[in-house]
């Protein structure tokens, strides 16, 4: 049986390592690396100099996405105990408020996420970011 050459094993190892570094680096690279901005409200969006109509549309799209996948509660208090901020949906239930990245010239929110409180072993509250896109 022929043994694989050392050069082949070295090249395969380097290619695997380069692929892993590229994959994890690209996957963790924020969408707002260029001129994009993180925001969660129309006022924050307007503060970046974007139009009111574009801002309102982006916030509504982010909220609609979160309303589909995030947990909802019947009471505002219950929502705010579990999440950092909440908004009332069309059905009257409360959903965690999203933050998102908006790139210039785009009305599509990217990197939509919300913050959820969790407790550690010492029962201290910490926030955990839930990314949904």
């Amino acid at each position: 049986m022929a043994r694989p050459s050392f050069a082949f094993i070295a090249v395969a190892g380097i290619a695997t390592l380069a692929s892993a570094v590229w994959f994890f680096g690209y996957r963790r690279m924020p969408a707002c690396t260029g001129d994009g901005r993180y925001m969660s409200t129309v006022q924050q969006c307007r503060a970046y100099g974007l139009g009111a109509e574009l801002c309102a549309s982006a916030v509504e799209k982010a909220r609609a996405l979160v309303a589909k996948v995030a947990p909802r509660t019947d009471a505002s208090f219950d929502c705010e105990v579990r999440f950092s901020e909440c908004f009332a949906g069309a059905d009257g239930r409360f959903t965690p408020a999203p933050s998102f990245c908006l790139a210039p010239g785009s009305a599509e929110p990217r990197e939509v996420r919300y913050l959820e409180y969790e407790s550690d072993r010492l029962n201290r509250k910490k926030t955990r970011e839930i990314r949904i896109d």
Side-chain angles (χ1 to χ4, degrees):
M1 182 178 227
R3 294 176 58 194
S5 70
F6 178 74
F8 174 76
I9 293 172
V11 169
I14 290 171
T16 302
L17 180 63
S19 298
V21 167
W22 178 83
F23 174 76
F24 287 111
Y26 178 74
R27 183 179 160 150
R28 294 177 185 262
M29 183 183 301
C32 280
T33 53
D35 293 333
R37 305 286 179 147
Y38 286 107
M39 60 194 71
S40 59
T41 65
V42 173
Q43 292 80 11
Q44 289 173 342
C45 181
R46 296 279 295 142
Y48 292 131
L50 301 174
E53 198 171 298
L54 176 91
C55 291
S57 172
V59 169
E60 285 307 312
K61 287 178 183 178
R63 285 184 171 190
L65 179 61
V66 168
K68 287 180 187 176
V69 298
R72 287 178 261 166
T73 60
D74 292 327
S76 174
F77 179 78
D78 294 337
C79 185
E80 290 172 0
V81 165
R82 187 170 171 198
F83 305 103
S84 62
E85 292 181 51
C86 299
F87 70 94
D91 61 356
R93 299 181 76 198
F94 294 88
T95 306
S99 61
F100 57 92
C101 174
L102 191 63
S106 173
E108 293 301 316
R110 298 184 309 191
E111 284 193 20
V112 180
R113 60 190 74 193
Y114 60 91
L115 295 176
E116 180 177 24
Y117 293 122
E118 64 181 5
S119 296
D120 64 5
R121 292 187 303 180
L122 299 175
N123 205 24
R124 294 177 295 199
K125 277 196 171 183
K126 296 183 174 188
T127 54
R128 179 173 63 122
E129 186 176 82
I130 311 286
R131 190 169 166 182
I132 54 175
D133 57 347

